[in-house]
Amino acid sequence: MKMLPEKAMIGVLGGGQLGRMAIEAASALGYRCHVFAPDGDAPATDIAAVSTRADYTDTAALTAFANSVDSVICEFENVPVEAMDMLANHVPVCPGGKALRVAQHRLSEKDNARTLGISTPRYAGVKDGASLADALSRFGGGILKTCRMGYDGKGQMRLAADADPLAAIAHLGSDDLILEEIVDFTAEASFLVARDHQGQIAVWPASINQHRGGILHISEAPALADILTPALWDEGKAAVIAMAEDLELTGVLAAEMFITRDGNLLFNEIAPRPHNSFHWTIEGAETSQFSQLIRVAAGLPMGRVNATGRWRMTNILGEDMPLLDTAMAEPGVYIHRYGKAEARTGRKMAHLNQRID
Ligand code: AMP
């Protein structure tokens, strides 16, 4: 695609903090942004040049949006594929319809990974009590997850082999489910790849992640070789490249993987957008995930993705606000607040980036 000139308008689907940080990166490169989101009071809307408050199924609003922008990025992976496909008829889009469609469904992302030769935990699609009972006995229990719309540990439950299948299905309130075997892992790693409209690829150093109550708490990068061995790094890197190519990705795509006790890498899930575990790249990489996404959307050459040291990213949830006050007084801690009014428990309010070497 042709490079967009300064002041061109980049459309952003979704109004959350990922959109906000993408807009900050777009601004540094001289672009303006138009946010399209269903909720008005959103971190991205606050700093956008223009915003539209409408549902993703509102065709008239989407058409007006398409006519007002030069390129589109997506910060929310559950935007309907039809909306992305419609926009793609007008302007270049990130991440593209195929990446979005596969990433929106846990079963299709795992099937897709397997087809590409990427190892996954054992899993089975669950539609009813009989299919769940069968999978529970084969895996000796497992984690039951809704195939769609799950995030931050929501829409999932851990089940023992003798759990009541119908009660579990009723609890999750869906008949589109996946049961995964429980992985005995020593660490969780994530990988991030960028791919531009010409098919050029860049892969950032991997992050090692710690969760708290199902929500990402800390990421440290680049992953140390005693946690992610060079062989596993090669494997993870090859996996994200294979997925980016197969999904005809434009933009960025993150993959979460387990490092098992017996030294294997198992694929968990993908997100075809900037990822919380790579927020350290804002100060910690030559080109951040947000800046790279904007570069791809604007048809600029991609930037280098080397880390500039070792970095720790710490999420600040609603209940962690005192930690943020302390961090304010610490020189060398980079603070990113998302401009959210209400600090509810479990809500991502900000993150801290800090060099640790
Ligand atoms: P997810 O929404 O799939 O990212 O799951 C949230 C968190 O639950 C992961 O980061 C893991 O800590 C844990 N988890 C998810 N799936 C599994 C699994 N199959 N085995 C063990 N732990 C899991």
Side-chain angles (χ1 to χ4, degrees), residues 106 110 121-124 126 132 135-136 139-146 153-161 168 172 177-185 258 268:
R106 287 189 188 273
K110 287 214 167 55
R122 287 185 296 161
Y123 64 91
V126 168
L132 179 53
L136 279 172
F139 304 160
I143 301 191
L144 185 66
K145 304 179 179 179
T146 55
K154 294 188 176 65
Q156 56 181 269
M157 63 194 297
R158 192 177 272 245
L159 298 177
L172 290 179
L177 300 161
I178 180 173
L179 186 79
E180 300 173 12
E181 69 173 325
I182 295 172
V183 177
D184 182 15
F185 60 83
F258 299 116
N268 180 27

Side-chain angles (χ1 to χ4, degrees), residues 20-21 36 63 95 112 152 180 203 205 218 226 243 272 347:
R20 182 185 179 97
M21 291 183 271
F36 187 109
T63 305
N112 194 258
D152 286 346
E180 300 173 12
V203 182
I218 286 174
D226 57 349
M243 288 190 280
R347 189 177 198 205

Side-chain angles (χ1 to χ4, degrees), residues 7-329:
K7 286 174 104 46
M9 187 70 88
I10 296 183
V12 180
L13 292 172
Q17 63 266 17
L18 302 177
R20 182 185 179 97
M21 291 183 271
I23 294 171
E24 288 167 351
S27 167
L29 289 167
Y31 298 118
R32 301 191 305 142
C33 291
H34 181 164
V35 169
F36 187 109
D39 38 346
D41 179 24
T45 310
D46 255 5
I47 65 163
V50 187
S51 63
T52 296
R53 181 177 186 174
D55 199 83
Y56 298 117
T57 54
D58 183 337
T59 319
L62 273 177
T63 305
F65 175 70
N67 289 328
S68 77
V69 297
D70 300 295
S71 181
V72 166
I73 63 165
C74 192
E75 68 102 47
F76 174 62
E77 75 208 57
N78 288 310
V79 166
V81 177
E82 299 74 35
M84 171 106 327
D85 287 344
M86 182 278 218
L87 292 168
N89 288 329
H90 292 80
V91 286
V93 297
C94 295
K98 188 175 179 192
L100 208 56
R101 190 173 60 252
V102 171
Q104 283 175 356
H105 198 268
R106 287 189 188 273
L107 206 53
S108 55
E109 66 188 356
K110 287 214 167 55
D111 286 346
N112 194 258
R114 282 240 171 137
T115 305
L116 295 170
I118 298 163
S119 304
T120 70
R122 287 185 296 161
Y123 64 91
V126 168
K127 293 245 163 276
D128 51 26
S131 50
L132 179 53
D134 173 62
L136 279 172
S137 73
R138 280 192 290 131
F139 304 160
I143 301 191
L144 185 66
K145 304 179 179 179
T146 55
C147 283
R148 291 189 188 275
M149 300 299 268
Y151 68 100
D152 286 346
K154 294 188 176 65
Q156 56 181 269
M157 63 194 297
R158 192 177 272 245
L159 298 177
D162 61 354
D164 177 350
L166 290 177
I169 291 173
H171 182 78
L172 290 179
S174 167
D175 60 0
D176 189 13
L177 300 161
I178 180 173
L179 186 79
E180 300 173 12
E181 69 173 325
I182 295 172
V183 177
D184 182 15
F185 60 83
T186 51
E188 294 186 70
S190 51
F191 295 78
L192 182 72
V193 59
R195 183 169 177 274
D196 70 13
H197 292 274
Q198 288 75 44
Q200 297 289 313
I201 292 263
V203 182
W204 280 263
S207 300
I208 296 295
N209 307 320
Q210 294 169 38
H211 293 79
R212 226 178 31 178
I215 305 177
L216 183 66
H217 176 39
I218 286 174
S219 292
E220 289 184 357
L224 296 174
D226 57 349
I227 300 175
L228 183 73
T229 61
L232 291 186
W233 156 248
D234 287 345
E235 195 180 325
K237 182 178 174 183
V240 284
I241 293 174
M243 288 190 280
E245 289 178 341
D246 174 70
L247 297 174
E248 294 155 23
L249 174 83
T250 43
V252 296
L253 174 131
E256 294 182 32
M257 309 263 195
F258 299 116
I259 301 172
T260 65
R261 194 166 302 282
D262 50 5
N264 291 313
L265 199 64
L266 295 183
F267 170 83
N268 180 27
E269 63 177 354
I270 47 170
R273 53 161 173 78
H275 196 264
N276 196 168
S277 61
F278 287 91
H279 287 356
W280 63 267
T281 61
I282 298 176
E283 283 87 19
E286 284 190 58
T287 308
S288 79
Q289 58 173 347
F290 300 104
S291 189
Q292 196 79 300
L293 174 58
I294 296 300
R295 281 172 165 272
V296 171
L300 303 180
M302 285 203 287
R304 279 200 295 260
V305 295
N306 312 48
T308 57
R310 285 207 79 232
W311 290 80
R312 174 184 300 138
M313 188 282 318
T314 308
N315 266 344
I316 302 290
L317 307 184
E319 62 271 33
D320 301 322
M321 294 307 267
L323 202 65
L324 185 59
D325 295 336
T326 312
M328 291 279 183

Side-chain angles (χ1 to χ4, degrees), residues 336-356:
H336 299 268
R337 286 202 289 208
Y338 306 151
K340 296 182 183 176
E342 236 189 293
R344 289 194 298 271
T345 302
R347 189 177 198 205
K348 291 176 180 170
M349 300 298 294
H351 73 266
L352 312 175
N353 285 340
Q354 194 173 3
R355 232 185 124 147
I356 51 171

